[in-house]
Amino acid sequence: MNLERWRTIADWPLTAAAFLFLIAYAWEVIGDLTGSAAAAAEAVIAVTWAAFVIDYVVCLVLAPRRWRWFYTHLLDLAIVVLPALRPLRLLRLLAVLAVLQRTAGRAFRGRVIMYVAGAVALLVFTAALAVLDAERSAPASPIHTFPQAVWWAFETISTVGYGDFTPITETGRLVAVGLMVGGVATLGIVTATLASWIVERVAETEADERAATHGEIVALSAQVAELKELLEERAAS
Amino acid sequence: MNLERWRTIADWPLTAAAFLFLIAYAWEVIGDLTGSAAAAAEAVIAVTWAAFVIDYVVCLVLAPRRWRWFYTHLLDLAIVVLPALRPLRLLRLLAVLAVLQRTAGRAFRGRVIMYVAGAVALLVFTAALAVLDAERSAPASPIHTFPQAVWWAFETISTVGYGDFTPITETGRLVAVGLMVGGVATLGIVTATLASWIVERVAETEADERAATHGEIVALSAQVAELKELLEERAAS
Amino acid sequence: MNLERWRTIADWPLTAAAFLFLIAYAWEVIGDLTGSAAAAAEAVIAVTWAAFVIDYVVCLVLAPRRWRWFYTHLLDLAIVVLPALRPLRLLRLLAVLAVLQRTAGRAFRGRVIMYVAGAVALLVFTAALAVLDAERSAPASPIHTFPQAVWWAFETISTVGYGDFTPITETGRLVAVGLMVGGVATLGIVTATLASWIVERVAETEADERAATHGEIVALSAQVAELKELLEERAAS
Amino acid sequence: MNLERWRTIADWPLTAAAFLFLIAYAWEVIGDLTGSAAAAAEAVIAVTWAAFVIDYVVCLVLAPRRWRWFYTHLLDLAIVVLPALRPLRLLRLLAVLAVLQRTAGRAFRGRVIMYVAGAVALLVFTAALAVLDAERSAPASPIHTFPQAVWWAFETISTVGYGDFTPITETGRLVAVGLMVGGVATLGIVTATLASWIVERVAETEADERAATHGEIVALSAQVAELKELLEERAAS
């Protein structure tokens, strides 16, 4: 079995594990669980974690150039090993968005907009969970409920930054930097898609000119064909 | 009567209803009405609401594939049913902007800029009304007058976000998220329009080159025509 | 004398008046003048104001379609009549930037960058003066010195908006909205210029392909010419 | 020896000096050194400073048009003379990024993204050092540790600007303005690169049309060649 085949096999189970992780993580963080409920959520998270560990180890074993794979997949290792990076496992759910987008019609720009909206929603939700998880235990932090965390995530990804809620823990600030990067990327993609659309609309007026050039080539081609017929007639005579 | 025909008939009455709603809503919120004045404003709002309800029901009845229409118009339902989403009825006024823009000359980019300016003004005004309506009753909120609400809306749509005024109610924060989305879209459209203009100005220097290619095709065409004449002369001789 | 001719005559005197106004206004605001110094600065400002009034009246008289000119130049009237809009007279100095840029070489994008840098500097300086003028007399305002005002202007035009300094007067907030619009426009122009540059660099790889098409046309043209010579030789034989 | 040759010789030594300066400066600022450690760091900084001074003087002496070089390199003079601008010496390390990028494959957009990521990292690190150096001695400043300074730098370059940390010294605010400019430029480059990519993807559908035009030219060329053969056959007969 090679790496490609493993990836095909592991694709959906891993996405399911990420989805399970999302539910258990959201339940644990939003519900601020204690006792047996917390234990159950942690058990589900541990199982999904095991799925990611198995995938990492199998990929490492199957990779043709193992050291190269190891160096180019350090982030995967960090996501598996560091508990603080757990929320990044949800990035796998972006693959689900890619599937949804496939069914959403053919227009490239329409799909980009849908994908951006889905990615922003996932990013805001994940970041709100992660920041609440990190900040809740810090008494000096202003972020103590899930709605506050979601509000903060919107403030940050849009780069508005009122400053009524700001993370004070290192993990919370790491989440914030991730959201800032996501915000800059989102703004970039929205602008770029609009730019592409406007450039095209403006170019439509120039299309007439190009059509004219095309028309000239067609006319020239007809002239040459006519000329050839004329010569063939003479050759036949 | 089919759906298309109903839409044509209902277009201007609904826009008028939206305009009436804008006036009554602005009067009620800015004036902080009580007593009979408040009742009068509420009566006008109820009438305009009835217009939107009638339009929704008629469209649902006339739609050829009713369930599909229902699924793809859930936002319309929410605007009609949820009082918190009332201000979104003003989005219909964007249609008026589209008409104004039709009279504003032919340049595509010029019309985009005018439309963006009109949409931003409408968005800031509506958001200021909605946030003042939501925040006024919250004693801890810093937003208590209409000028403060307008100032806050400008801060938010430009993504500056000083933080001197921030909404604290859920409705107010929903309005803020809408403004943030509007701000990102506005920035995107402004940038994209400027990009289209700069790309075109830079391309003008390349136009010479293309003109040269065009000239070669014309010269070639002339050569072929000359050749054909030559052959025809010989055929006649 | 017609309007065009008046504009040519009045161009440099008005720019000089704007420059004088800039110096007197900056001297008055930064120096927080009192007594005879304030009177002197106000006298200079009054003289420059007279220049703008004269220009407005002469233009209105000379305009071929007076009412149309009046409607399309309402902003010019407001700048002349409303003391709060005095700083907008400095926009005339952007014309000087246009001249400077003419000497700065031929590259369109290079000139755009220079013009943007100059306009941002002028905008920040003017806005800092205007906000300081408006906020100084408000005891609750945090903006009381010129360096604070400049710092606030940079915060605002970059849309960072820390919130350590925020205007509280209506005039100050109007200045802020102007700066926000300037910030969005600046971001748009910078992005658009970079986009134009990157699109061109990427297009260079596609240029080879186009060059190939061009080569084919040249080859075709040569073939046709050769064919014509061949026919002429035969006609001569 | 001419200026070009000196630049080639001095390139790597100066980059090494900048790197040494980075290490000594970071060590001094982060470690908040006192006593002999501070003296050692200052000594290293003095040595690297000497390298920059020597480079400046030699360039000035070797420049063919000395006054012109002096006028167009005033920033270089300021970096050498003003201690507050010391951190700008690290800009030389961007040259190292340019080398790294050369080895990163051929795709222009991929290299732009890598270069931007490297430049942002360098800018955030340098700005955090510079602002900590400036603000630490101001008792009223909220920035007192390196992690706080890094967090503030990220807030500023992304234009989020919560306002939980803001510089209060003049040097600190100068650093902030530099970061704001860097943030606007970064956003511009990210957006422009994405725009270039999306425009290209959208243009792929138009490529078919262009390919058709190309096909017509090829067909025309074939027709003409056929015609020529036909004539040559007749000439031979």
Side-chain angles (χ1 to χ4, degrees), chain A:
Chain A
M1 181 153 76
N2 62 10
L3 186 58
E4 276 311 301
R5 198 163 146 61
W6 169 256
R7 282 201 188 276
T8 314
I9 293 170
D11 188 19
W12 283 102
L14 271 178
T15 305
F19 202 69
L20 260 180
F21 172 68
L22 175 66
I23 293 168
Y25 187 53
W27 183 42
E28 190 187 22
V29 173
I30 299 177
D32 201 6
L33 301 182
T34 50
S36 58
E42 276 299 327
V44 174
I45 290 174
V47 167
T48 61
W49 175 68
F52 279 87
V53 169
I54 289 166
D55 177 62
Y56 182 82
V57 170
V58 172
C59 281
L60 188 59
V61 169
L62 290 179
R65 300 161 66 189
R66 205 163 294 165
W67 278 107
R68 194 158 184 283
W69 195 91
F70 179 77
Y71 281 125
T72 55
H73 291 74
L74 282 175
L75 184 64
D76 289 17
L77 179 63
I79 290 172
V80 164
V81 169
L82 300 177
L85 294 182
R86 289 196 302 190
L88 290 181
R89 287 173 210 159
L90 296 173
L91 290 180
R92 180 160 280 274
L93 293 176
L94 287 176
V96 181
L97 283 175
V99 169
L100 280 178
Q101 117 183 207
R102 216 166 288 160
T103 65
R106 280 172 310 208
F108 181 68
R109 279 190 292 257
R111 278 185 289 150
V112 166
I113 293 289
M114 266 195 62
Y115 193 77
V116 166
V120 165
L122 185 62
L123 194 55
V124 164
F125 187 73
T126 306
L129 287 177
V131 91
L132 183 58
D133 196 23
E135 297 283 312
R136 176 179 274 148
S137 50
S141 172
I143 303 172
H144 284 294
T145 70
F146 187 65
Q148 286 175 345
V150 170
W151 168 239
W152 168 82
F154 271 114
E155 261 185 50
T156 304
I157 203 170
S158 66
T159 77
V160 167
Y162 292 119
D164 48 353
F165 295 97
T166 42
I168 59 164
T169 63
E170 285 190 12
T171 313
R173 287 178 178 171
L174 218 68
V175 172
V177 170
L179 267 181
M180 290 166 190
V181 171
V184 168
T186 303
L187 187 52
I189 294 180
V190 168
T191 303
T193 308
L194 288 165
S196 151
W197 178 72
I198 288 179
V199 165
E200 199 165 273
R201 285 293 302 268
V202 170
E204 272 168 22
T205 60
E206 295 179 31
D208 292 339
E209 194 190 335
R210 250 185 271 154
T213 306
H214 177 232
E216 284 168 329
I217 291 176
V218 167
L220 174 58
S221 184
Q223 273 181 313
V224 170
E226 204 179 330
L227 171 64
K228 197 181 142 195
E229 267 176 55
L230 207 137
L231 283 165
E232 276 167 349
E233 271 171 41
R234 287 186 55 200
S237 69

Side-chain angles (χ1 to χ4, degrees), chain C residues 145 147-148 150-152 154-165 183 186-188 190-203 205-206 209-210 212-213 216-217 219-220 223-224 226-228 230-231 234, chain D residues 108-109 111-112 152 155-167 170 172-174 176-177 180-181 183-185 187-189 191-193 195-196 199-200 210 214 217-218 220-222 224-225 227-228 231-232 234-235:
Chain C
T145 69
Q148 286 173 345
V150 169
W151 169 238
W152 168 83
F154 271 115
E155 261 184 50
T156 303
I157 202 171
S158 67
T159 79
V160 167
Y162 291 120
D164 48 353
F165 295 97
T186 304
L187 187 51
V190 168
T191 303
T193 309
L194 287 165
S196 152
W197 178 72
I198 287 179
V199 165
E200 199 165 273
R201 285 294 301 267
V202 169
T205 60
E206 295 178 30
E209 195 192 334
R210 251 186 272 156
T213 305
E216 283 167 329
I217 292 176
L220 173 58
Q223 271 182 314
V224 171
E226 203 178 329
L227 170 64
K228 197 179 139 193
L230 207 137
L231 283 164
R234 287 189 53 201
Chain D
F108 181 68
R109 279 190 292 258
R111 277 185 290 149
V112 166
W152 168 83
E155 261 185 50
T156 303
I157 203 171
S158 67
T159 77
V160 167
Y162 292 118
D164 48 354
F165 294 97
T166 41
E170 285 191 13
R173 286 177 179 172
L174 217 68
V177 170
M180 289 167 192
V181 171
V184 169
L187 188 51
I189 294 180
T191 302
T193 308
S196 151
V199 165
E200 199 165 273
R210 250 185 273 155
H214 178 232
I217 292 176
V218 166
L220 174 58
S221 183
V224 170
L227 170 64
K228 196 180 141 195
L231 283 166
E232 279 169 348
R234 287 188 55 200

